[in-house]
Structure formats: structure tokens, C-alpha cells
Amino acid sequence: LWPTWATGVKRSDDTVPLLPVPRSGHARVRVTNIYRTWEPWFASIIPSDEAKGVLSAVVLDEPHSGTLAPRGGANNVCDVSKPYEDSVDLVVRASAVGEAPPSDEASLLLIRTEEDCWLYRIVPAAETEVGTG
């Protein structure tokens, strides 16, 4: 069960960056913790108001949640070869079902910590475009 803050959109401006996803490929987003505290995070794809009820043409690969280490990462005393990371790479992939909705009916990628919110508008990309990072 996710906390209530994990699904709320918290933005300081109206600018939502685009995340182009090729119809037969994927796009990558990196989220980095800038705070000095451990931050639980949650990610989900939500339909825009126009796309509610439309079968999504994209999927979010695992993981959908986790915990970011404090800024700079942290040592793992149990296994020094696996330090705790302050960032996570998320992959949004084109689904095998149907066509991607038009960009004005795009889904949104929402990534939340209690302190931060990242929001991306998922749009179809040309097959030659490369995922963002």
C-alpha cells in the first residue's frame, strides 16, 4: 500500500518535460536524491485527463518503488561491492498492445518522494530518437 503523498502531483511550475518513447523501444529516466536523508520513492504511469479509460500504450518496467540513499550514496557494510545508490534509472517501454495515444492524450510518468516530484508527459517518438537520461 502506497502512502497518500505518493500519488499526488506536487509541482512548482506548469512545465512538464516530454519523455519520447519509440513505438518499438523504450526511454530511460534517472531520478537522483538531492537530500541528506533516505527517501522512499514510488513511480507510476497515470493517464492524463483526456486519456482516462484508454488502454495505455506504455508500461513501466520494475521497480515501481524503493528507497534512495542520501545524496552521494551510502556504504553497504554487509556487502561493500553493492553500495546504496542515491539514484534510480526507470525504464518506460512501449507496450505490445495497440497504438500509442496521440500526444495530446499522452500518459504521464509520476515519480514521487515525500520531498520531490518528477512528472513527464509520455509521447510517441520517431524510431530514430534515443531515450532521455
Side-chain angles (χ1 to χ4, degrees):
L1 186 62
W2 289 10
T4 54
W5 55 259
T7 56
V9 177
K10 177 177 126 180
R11 302 246 348 137
S12 59
D13 60 38
D14 292 332
T15 306
V16 178
L18 299 180
L19 180 62
V21 178
R23 292 187 199 278
S24 61
H26 67 276
R28 221 175 264 282
V29 173
R30 175 170 279 206
V31 174
T32 302
N33 183 13
I34 62 170
Y35 298 101
R36 292 184 173 202
T37 55
W38 292 87
E39 293 291 329
W41 64 269
F42 299 86
S44 58
I45 293 178
I46 54 176
S48 65
D49 289 338
E50 302 85 16
K52 286 198 185 338
V54 174
L55 186 61
S56 179
V58 293
V59 293
L60 178 62
D61 285 355
E62 294 283 341
H64 296 168
S65 63
T67 301
L68 296 173
R71 181 180 65 216
N75 292 330
N76 180 345
V77 294
C78 295
D79 187 346
V80 293
S81 69
K82 298 178 182 174
Y84 297 111
E85 300 292 333
D86 66 351
S87 62
V88 63
D89 289 324
L90 300 173
V91 176
V92 176
R93 172 174 318 285
S95 124
V97 180
E99 292 292 315
S103 60
D104 62 341
E105 296 180 4
S107 298
L108 302 170
L109 172 62
L110 173 66
I111 307 143
R112 281 296 313 264
T113 67
E114 198 164 5
E115 298 295 327
D116 259 330
C117 177
W118 296 268
L119 189 64
Y120 296 88
R121 181 172 298 279
I122 302 167
V123 297
E127 295 299 316
T128 57
E129 288 186 44
V130 177
T132 63

